[in-house]
Amino acid sequence: NAGVTQTPKFQVLKTGQSMTLQCAQDMNHEYMSWYRQDPGMGLRLIHYSVGAGITDQGEVPNGYNVSRSTTEDFPLRLLSAAPSQTSVYFCASSPTEGTVNFGPGTRLTVT
Amino acid sequence: GDSVTQMEGPVTLSEEAFLTINCTYTATGYPSLFWYVQYPGEGLQLLLKATKADDKGSNKGFEATYRKETTSFHLEKGSVQVSDSAVYFCALRPHGGTSYGKLTFGQGTILTVHP
């Protein structure tokens, strides 16, 4: 198993640009989620999904969209990037009652 | 809502010193508790976990005990090594429903171990 994979590893955007962070898992996990990591603030939940076709907002959802058309994929879309979205983004997946597995992260800089 | 509070860092120790990183939480019901570790330039790895009161999680010489009476899950290691230098995160996951994939994290504690 490849586990949880994320692309790209690094990205630089200009303010106002849009992009999609990709996340995929090959473990047939029901639950997938996106977190952002900022210095001194730990990880904060952006959006999560409990299965294909079902998504919900986390703690910091503004400026981000998600969809879950398949069990494997859970892309995160930035519609109009802002400097406040400069962060490291982690995708995660877990089975019911199982361990949450994290991807390697995407480091995003918005100038 | 749920919250996790970790001791302020950074923590700097000499090799073979004793380590304690404090973690307390606020949550309803009976959450599961976790310690994750992040080595430089890498993602998060699960270090240990406990799913009910008085459970002790352990891995790689690290231990933490789920104390419901004090709402705490402090991380300890008797003798740290240089290779333990990393960021440590305490986290909780609510019990049941659609919450299995949702973790609430503490702010992280940077540990640096010198030879």
Side-chain angles (χ1 to χ4, degrees), chain B residues 70-102:
Chain B
T70 55
T71 61
S72 65
F73 193 55
H74 304 321
L75 182 69
E76 296 182 336
K77 186 174 186 182
S79 177
V80 294
Q81 305 299 312
V82 172
S83 57
D84 293 327
S85 298
V87 184
Y88 292 81
F89 293 95
C90 186
L92 71 81
R93 183 174 69 193
H95 176 71
T98 60
S99 300
Y100 286 116
K102 298 168 62 177

Side-chain angles (χ1 to χ4, degrees), chain B residues 37-85:
Chain B
V37 59
Q38 184 179 35
Y39 298 103
E42 299 184 10
L44 277 76
Q45 304 175 23
L46 178 65
L47 181 59
L48 52 85
K49 67 178 181 182
T51 57
K52 60 182 187 296
D54 300 324
D55 266 1
K56 177 185 283 188
S58 62
N59 186 26
K60 299 182 181 180
F62 292 89
E63 293 182 340
T65 301
Y66 188 144
R67 302 285 188 200
K68 188 155 181 66
E69 65 274 15
T70 55
T71 61
S72 65
F73 193 55
H74 304 321
L75 182 69
E76 296 182 336
K77 186 174 186 182
S79 177
V80 294
Q81 305 299 312
V82 172
S83 57
D84 293 327
S85 298

Side-chain angles (χ1 to χ4, degrees), chain A residues 31 33 35 37 40-45 48 50 57 90 94-104, chain B residues 34 36 38 41-46 49 87 89 93 97-108:
Chain A
Y31 296 92
S33 47
Y35 295 83
Q37 180 181 17
M41 302 189 74
L43 280 77
R44 292 179 292 168
L45 182 65
Y48 69 98
V50 300
Q57 296 181 349
F90 289 99
S94 72
T96 306
E97 297 192 49
T99 300
V100 177
N101 302 274
F102 284 85
Chain B
F34 305 86
Y36 280 85
Q38 184 179 35
E42 299 184 10
L44 277 76
Q45 304 175 23
L46 178 65
K49 67 178 181 182
V87 184
F89 293 95
R93 183 174 69 193
T98 60
S99 300
Y100 286 116
K102 298 168 62 177
L103 293 171
T104 298
F105 284 87
Q107 69 268 41

Side-chain angles (χ1 to χ4, degrees), chain A residues 43-87:
Chain A
L43 280 77
R44 292 179 292 168
L45 182 65
I46 304 171
H47 286 286
Y48 69 98
S49 169
V50 300
I54 307 170
T55 64
D56 204 349
Q57 296 181 349
E59 181 184 353
V60 288
N62 292 342
Y64 307 95
N65 277 357
V66 292
S67 60
R68 182 108 179 260
S69 56
T70 67
T71 298
E72 293 78 21
D73 300 298
F74 192 44
L76 179 71
R77 297 182 187 83
L78 284 70
L79 302 178
S80 178
S84 61
Q85 294 178 305
T86 294
S87 188

